[in-house]
Amino acid sequence: MAKVVNRLHPDFATQSYVIEVFKGVALTTRQFARNLFARKDIVTVQYPDDRRPYTPRFRGKHRLMLRDDKSVRCVACMLCATACPANCITILAREVDDPTIEKAPSAFDIDLLKCIYCGFCEEACPCDAIRLDSGVHTIPSYTRRDQKAGVINLMSLGSVSIASQGGEHRAHSHEGTAHGRSSGH
Amino acid sequence: MHLVDNVLLNIVLMTLVKFAGFVLAFVMGTATVLTWAERKYSALLQNRIGPNRANIGSIRAGGLLHMLADPIKMLTKEDFVPNTPNPILFRLAPLMAFVPALVVFAVIPFGPGETFQISNTSLGILFIFAISSLNVYGAVIGAWASNNKWSLIGGLRISAQMISYEVAIGLSLCGIFMIYGSLDLQDIATRQGELLWGFIPAWGIVYQPVAFVLYLTCAIAENKRAPFDVGEAEAELTAGWWTEYSAMGFAVFALSEFIEIVLIGCVGTTLFLGGWTIPGLHGDAWWIVVLEIGGFLFKSLFLVWLQMTLRWTLPRFRYDQIMRLGWRIMLPIALLNLVVTGIVLTFIERA
Ligand code: SF4
Ligand code: SF4
């Protein structure tokens, strides 16, 4: 059904804008006076001191999840790098002694300046190895190089996943998250 | 010879003292405070808190320290020059905006007599127009030299806007000259000290209320502040004509904008709000003079406040609306005002 748009037909006095300007000035001045003496209208969240709670679906900095023996879950399958629309994931694969694990990343770099935090990598990953649920904002830095998150950096936020995966150390354990909250999906 | 030297030295010294007292202390002081006040005031208007983080130890002084922190930040930031064929013009542009804004204060009478005016010229108001219209060069050349499309569009908009409103502002003030029969600001201010029918102050705003509204509107448009800031238009043009400016270049542009706010206040006070005169108060006693200077500063600050409030109350006009307002509304009203003033003056002279 077509939406009916109610057009305003301001009269000449309103359109001439002269009285309206005074009304506007009166309004802003009143608000100024109120806020000068009382704080109850003020909506500012003083960010580093007070934070709004993030929604559970907040996509923050990536983290690489771990196996039970704290090695990285990633098998360097490149699915995330392929899915990434920003082309910001660089993975170098290496061999692993464990015959049940095909590969592991020897380098896993994410250029956080290019990343658009779309979460496609997380969705593409067959191993629950990469997630964006760390709840961490990308931390500002003085150089561009510092915005490249390497494998160590990404694993430092990681925790053990309960999703099952091949390999010798296959086991189930309780899932923990970087911020101690449930990353329930 | 010796005598001449002394006279010259005296004049130079007096001028320096006046300059320090009026321009450096009042004008620059107000402009500096405005850099803080604009952010804090707008915040309180909009139910925000505003800047309050700059601190020395635990002293925050309601964000007042931002006035100190800003220059330090501006001086230590990267002074970026874009890849432009005109780096010299790019550097020069902030000065071209800053100097005219400051020079104009030379002719503003801030107290009774020649003592309280840096330079007494019978051309007062023409000087103001001549110099302050140079302002547009700073902005336009800066925009051009930035070698950036946003700046260019912004520069194009403000050049058209500033030149259009130049016409209306000039015509809106003509009525004042006709009534007081002088271009000398000191003359005009003194004449406004008289009383009309013994109780109404003979201020310009009483004779020319329409001209006052026109003047204020056009002056804000000249200063390219909201609601006339299409040249900056951060929603469309990043930061418009000063997109590429950073560090001190940006600071100088911003400061000249604030200085111009004070200028609009001072000129408006001198022409419309009775200048330094206080109705019913005459004399040469020192306390009267102090009161009169205080009155001038107070009235100027009132107009500064009004500009601030308008800036944070009204939404930005569209570009075509600005041009239409300038040429099709402001200009005819100014002309009409002029004609009516002329007719009424003729009748009064005849009577
Ligand atoms: S969030 Fe999106 S852009 Fe960022 S790394 Fe993952 S797939 Fe690439
Ligand atoms: S993070 Fe997941 S998708 Fe990316 S390479 Fe490792 S296992 Fe494959």
Side-chain angles (χ1 to χ4, degrees):
Chain A
M1 207 189 93
K3 183 172 157 44
V4 180
V5 177
N6 284 321
R7 292 195 182 281
L8 295 173
H9 292 287
D11 53 8
F12 179 75
T14 312
Q15 276 198 325
S16 79
Y17 212 48
V18 178
I19 302 161
E20 297 301 307
V21 167
F22 282 103
K23 277 193 199 161
V25 167
L27 180 78
T28 40
T29 309
R30 189 173 65 232
Q31 207 57 33
F32 170 70
R34 277 169 68 127
N35 292 331
L36 195 62
F37 298 114
R39 288 261 145 148
K40 71 176 189 312
D41 284 353
I42 285 179
V43 294
T44 308
V45 176
Q46 303 241 42
Y47 166 61
D49 303 342
D50 313 328
R51 287 169 195 245
R52 284 218 171 111
Y54 292 133
T55 71
R57 295 174 54 173
F58 173 75
R59 294 195 294 268
K61 187 174 169 180
H62 316 63
R63 59 186 184 134
L64 283 177
M65 304 298 285
L66 310 178
R67 294 167 198 269
D68 285 347
D69 65 351
K70 306 288 188 233
S71 64
V72 68
R73 278 179 80 92
C74 172
V75 294
C77 69
M78 308 285 174
L79 284 178
C80 54
T82 311
C84 177
N87 259 338
C88 63
I89 306 179
T90 316
I91 303 168
L92 286 181
R94 68 173 155 82
E95 282 183 43
V96 188
D97 294 339
D98 184 344
T100 57
I101 301 178
E102 200 174 346
K103 290 181 287 182
S106 65
F108 193 110
D109 286 335
I110 298 183
D111 188 339
L112 295 174
L113 288 177
K114 284 190 192 162
C115 174
I116 55 172
Y117 298 91
C118 60
F120 283 7
C121 47
E122 183 180 34
E123 278 178 42
C125 181
C127 303
D128 190 24
I130 188 165
R131 289 190 186 176
L132 279 81
D133 65 352
S134 64
V136 179
H137 270 125
T138 308
I139 295 149
S141 67
Y142 283 102
T143 61
R144 277 163 201 263
R145 182 188 304 231
D146 290 346
Q147 291 292 334
K148 281 227 177 5
V151 68
I152 309 281
N153 182 331
L154 292 170
M155 279 170 70
S156 69
L157 292 168
S159 60
V160 179
S161 164
I162 58 164
S164 57
Q165 190 181 28
E168 208 172 277
H169 307 288
R170 174 174 190 164
H172 298 278
S173 68
H174 283 293
E175 177 176 28
T177 58
H179 274 209
R181 64 177 160 69
S182 158
S183 59
H185 293 290
Chain B
M1 184 64 208
H2 194 68
L3 195 72
V4 171
D5 271 358
N6 259 346
V7 170
L8 203 67
L9 194 69
N10 261 341
I11 293 175
V12 170
L13 271 183
M14 272 310 287
T15 308
L16 279 181
V17 169
K18 288 186 231 175
F19 179 77
F22 182 50
V23 177
L24 284 189
F26 176 66
V27 177
M28 293 298 278
T30 312
T32 313
V33 174
L34 278 181
T35 61
W36 164 78
E38 166 149 278
R39 283 173 288 168
K40 198 73 182 174
Y41 183 61
S42 63
L44 288 178
L45 287 185
Q46 298 172 337
N47 296 351
R48 295 182 285 115
I49 293 180
N52 63 352
R53 295 271 153 186
N55 57 3
I56 299 176
S58 61
I59 304 170
R60 283 185 172 179
L64 261 178
L65 291 174
H66 276 269
M67 291 191 305
L68 282 179
D70 283 341
I72 297 173
K73 175 184 149 186
M74 290 298 187
L75 283 169
T76 50
K77 275 208 155 182
E78 181 189 358
D79 197 1
F80 176 75
V81 179
N83 185 9
T84 162
N86 298 312
I88 297 174
L89 283 185
F90 184 82
R91 285 262 182 249
L92 219 56
L95 288 181
M96 291 166 97
F98 186 70
V99 172
L102 215 52
V103 164
V104 174
F105 285 96
V107 294
I108 304 265
F110 52 96
E114 229 172 277
T115 331
F116 297 106
Q117 190 180 17
I118 292 173
S119 156
N120 189 6
T121 143
S122 55
L123 286 176
I125 192 71
L126 287 188
F127 178 81
I128 291 185
F129 280 141
I131 301 295
S132 63
S133 57
L134 290 180
N135 237 320
V136 66
Y137 287 104
V140 171
I141 286 180
W144 170 254
S146 293
N147 194 18
N148 175 323
K149 297 295 178 283
W150 282 315
S151 305
L152 192 62
I153 296 174
L156 213 59
R157 287 180 178 186
I158 47 177
S159 53
Q161 170 190 336
M162 288 172 84
I163 291 167
S164 316
Y165 280 83
E166 197 86 20
V167 181
I169 200 174
L171 285 172
S172 75
L173 295 186
C174 282
I176 290 283
F177 313 145
M178 286 160 67
I179 287 171
Y180 297 111
S182 170
L183 289 176
D184 185 344
L185 289 169
Q186 188 64 270
D187 257 13
I188 295 177
T190 317
R191 290 279 306 277
Q192 294 185 64
E194 296 160 9
L195 289 179
L196 192 65
W197 303 315
F199 64 98
I200 303 176
W203 289 0
I205 192 171
V206 176
Y207 292 130
Q208 296 272 313
V210 178
F212 178 69
V213 175
L214 289 180
Y215 163 77
L216 203 63
T217 315
C218 296
I220 293 174
E222 280 277 292
N223 196 10
K224 45 196 181 315
R225 275 170 67 81
F228 298 98
D229 61 344
V230 281
E232 193 178 333
E234 66 276 356
E236 311 151 29
L237 301 178
T238 314
W241 57 281
W242 58 11
T243 304
E244 295 286 359
Y245 281 90
S246 57
M248 269 329 256
F250 170 78
V252 168
F253 265 136
L255 202 61
S256 54
E257 187 178 304
F258 286 120
I259 290 174
E260 229 168 298
I261 295 178
V262 184
L263 175 72
I264 294 167
C266 286
V267 174
T269 305
T270 311
L271 294 179
F272 290 102
L273 298 185
W276 44 263
T277 61
I278 298 175
L281 206 60
H282 297 282
D284 293 329
W286 65 266
W287 59 271
I288 292 183
V289 172
V290 169
L291 267 185
E292 282 172 338
I293 295 175
F296 175 81
L297 302 186
F298 176 79
K299 290 180 214 170
S300 304
L301 288 180
F302 168 77
L303 285 185
V304 168
W305 167 82
L306 191 61
Q307 290 176 64
M308 285 297 234
T309 313
L310 286 174
R311 188 246 178 279
W312 289 103
T313 299
L314 303 179
R316 176 183 304 135
F317 292 134
R318 231 166 40 221
Y319 180 59
D320 62 313
Q321 288 172 330
I322 289 185
M323 293 317 266
R324 202 169 60 208
L325 184 71
W327 288 108
R328 303 221 326 234
I329 299 175
M330 288 296 168
L331 188 63
I333 293 183
L335 283 172
L336 205 66
N337 184 47
L338 203 62
V339 172
V340 172
T341 311
I343 293 173
V344 171
L345 276 181
T346 320
F347 271 114
I348 290 177
E349 260 167 43
R350 289 276 165 80

